[in-house]
Amino acid sequence: MNSFSIFILAMGLALTVSFAPRGEFYQVIDSHPHAIQELMPYVETAYQSGRLWVVRLRGDTPSSLAGSFRRLRGGEKSYRFLDRLQGQFRRGAPYIREKLRQVERDRIKQDVELFSAFETRKAGTPGNREAMDLVAQRLRAMGLDVSLSCYAPEICNVIAERSGHEKPSEVTVVMAHLDSVGEAHAGADDNASGVAALLEMGRILSATPLRKTLRLVVTNGEEDGLLGSVFYAKELERQGKLRDIGLLVNMDMIGYNQNGIIELETSPERESVARWMAELVLRYTSLTAKVTIGAWGSDHVPFLRRGVPAVLTIQNWDTKNPCYHQACDTPEKLNYAYITEVARLNTAAVLTKDLE
């Protein structure tokens, strides 16, 4: 690779800043505190913004850290989306705006507290199985067809679906992972926030006539290496059903924020999907969009690798939750107005996609 470029988008204009290389560049794809601490002596930061952290290696890096970074593939970038036509974007469609007003902050808060109350939601534990059964029960009560996709005995993804009335073969997927890292009565942000938003979206969208099929997927084993999403992606691939997915939106860690920025992460091949989502941020929310290209570390990745148009919605990584993967990741630390805005964004994405 001969150069690394950063793209900054402001008022509809792109500014490119290029760095002269001194060796190969790598993207850090691990954010576990212990892994970062081990990695730091071996890297020199070339660029860091949001979830895009680009480094050069200083010397011989232990093989045990090989999974913490990858060589740049080309096209990685991170920028805020601030279009000159903000006024036009913010008008939005009245029908969609009316639906977004139905998203209730208090319902989301109650569900974050509910799922955080389990002793643990770590995959394979009794608490995880109980939480999985509760999610399935809630989705069935919405009138959705619910099934399980199990990658191990009693460790399952929950799949809820309602067929579209005009284009049932075209599928829009909303996804969030249920499991936690195992800290007691924690995992509020990671990822009770995403599950709570998904359930609130399900409440509204299950009562809304949709032309295309809606599929809500609550995955398991994300913290153990994306086990549930990898299994489910392979399952759909084997059945020849991946091509049916016109849009996949993943919600992970959407509960903590200090600056009103929502990060939209995808692969270089799917940048247009993130920019499309960024326009919806302007039309329908009070948030600011940051597009990050270079996907890693969450359940959208197995689908991007198989060509599915997928995007992760996640809190801005520049000010990420200081309690990430710790026992202090508890409900009282979260920003529920922010979660509500993200739920509105992703509801708008489903409804806008349904009209295409």
Side-chain angles (χ1 to χ4, degrees):
M1 183 172 296
N2 295 323
S3 65
F4 169 62
S5 296
I6 302 166
F7 291 79
I8 305 169
L9 194 70
M11 302 303 290
L13 301 176
L15 172 65
T16 303
V17 182
S18 297
F19 290 88
R22 294 202 315 266
E24 291 185 294
F25 290 100
Y26 296 82
Q27 181 182 359
V28 176
I29 56 171
D30 197 339
S31 57
H32 297 287
H34 67 275
I36 298 304
Q37 185 176 6
E38 293 177 12
L39 185 64
M40 287 303 293
Y42 302 97
V43 301
E44 173 190 350
T45 296
Y47 175 72
Q48 189 169 14
S49 179
R51 280 170 57 86
L52 180 60
W53 182 10
V54 178
V55 300
R56 298 184 186 90
L57 302 185
R58 285 177 173 156
D60 294 335
T61 305
S63 58
S64 61
L65 295 175
S68 296
F69 56 88
R70 69 181 176 213
R71 185 176 286 107
L72 288 192
R73 299 169 177 176
E76 290 89 348
K77 63 187 79 168
S78 184
Y79 55 85
R80 291 194 192 188
F81 186 90
L82 299 169
D83 198 281
R84 286 175 293 184
L85 301 178
Q86 289 184 59
Q88 174 182 328
F89 281 145
R90 287 199 183 278
R91 285 200 293 270
Y95 160 74
I96 294 177
R97 284 199 167 279
E98 176 58 34
K99 287 294 178 182
L100 301 190
R101 281 192 282 271
Q102 298 176 23
V103 179
E104 295 185 17
R105 174 188 179 277
D106 288 346
R107 287 179 182 271
I108 291 172
K109 184 174 185 291
Q110 288 170 8
D111 277 339
V112 169
E113 293 171 343
L114 174 64
F115 286 100
S116 302
F118 287 96
E119 183 174 357
T120 175
R121 300 191 314 277
K122 185 172 177 59
T125 64
N128 179 271
R129 290 191 291 274
E130 187 178 347
M132 182 182 69
D133 290 343
L134 177 59
V135 166
Q137 178 185 340
R138 291 278 298 277
L139 292 169
R140 285 193 186 97
M142 297 173 192
L144 302 172
D145 295 325
V146 176
S147 60
L148 300 179
S149 168
C150 305
Y151 68 87
E154 297 188 301
I155 310 180
C156 308
N157 307 311
V158 181
I159 317 296
E161 185 168 294
R162 194 184 72 173
S163 293
H165 62 81
E166 285 186 25
K167 301 180 177 180
S169 63
E170 298 182 28
V171 180
T172 303
V173 176
V174 179
M175 178 178 288
H177 77 86
L178 176 66
D179 60 307
S180 66
V181 295
E183 298 289 352
H185 308 294
D189 188 19
D190 191 12
N191 186 38
S193 65
V195 173
L198 180 145
L199 290 171
E200 179 64 357
M201 290 177 63
R203 182 183 71 85
I204 294 162
L205 293 169
S206 63
T208 302
L210 296 175
R211 300 164 66 240
K212 300 178 182 179
T213 293
L214 171 68
R215 185 179 300 157
L216 306 179
V217 181
V218 180
T219 63
N220 226 326
E222 192 267 359
E223 302 291 2
D224 297 322
L226 315 184
L227 297 182
S229 58
V230 168
F231 177 83
Y232 185 54
K234 288 181 177 179
E235 193 174 46
L236 293 179
E237 185 175 41
R238 187 168 54 251
Q239 297 168 357
K241 295 182 178 179
L242 280 177
R243 65 177 68 92
D244 298 340
I245 301 175
L247 174 68
L248 185 150
V249 178
N250 181 25
M251 293 184 287
D252 195 357
M253 294 183 66
I254 58 170
Y256 185 90
N257 183 261
Q258 297 177 336
N259 56 16
I261 295 174
I262 180 69
E263 208 153 336
L264 308 171
E265 180 185 282
T266 190
S267 64
E269 296 81 8
R270 296 298 181 179
E271 183 177 358
S272 61
V273 179
R275 289 178 62 82
W276 175 80
M277 288 281 291
E279 292 181 4
L280 299 182
V281 172
L282 288 170
R283 284 183 189 142
Y284 295 110
T285 79
S286 61
L287 304 176
T288 298
K290 184 167 194 171
V291 174
T292 297
I293 308 301
W296 61 277
S298 193
D299 284 329
H300 58 313
V301 173
F303 292 89
L304 284 169
R305 288 174 177 168
R306 291 166 173 81
V308 173
V311 62
L312 168 67
T313 53
I314 192 168
Q315 63 195 245
N316 180 217
W317 220 237
D318 292 323
T319 58
K320 73 174 182 289
N321 194 331
C323 288
Y324 172 61
H325 282 187
Q326 299 177 54
C328 58
D329 180 11
T330 49
E332 71 277 4
K333 296 185 175 66
L334 301 193
N335 182 337
Y336 292 96
Y338 180 78
I339 304 175
T340 302
E341 286 293 271
V342 178
R344 286 174 175 150
L345 164 65
N346 291 331
T347 302
V350 172
L351 294 172
T352 302
K353 189 68 178 177
D354 196 64
L355 295 174
E356 290 182 356

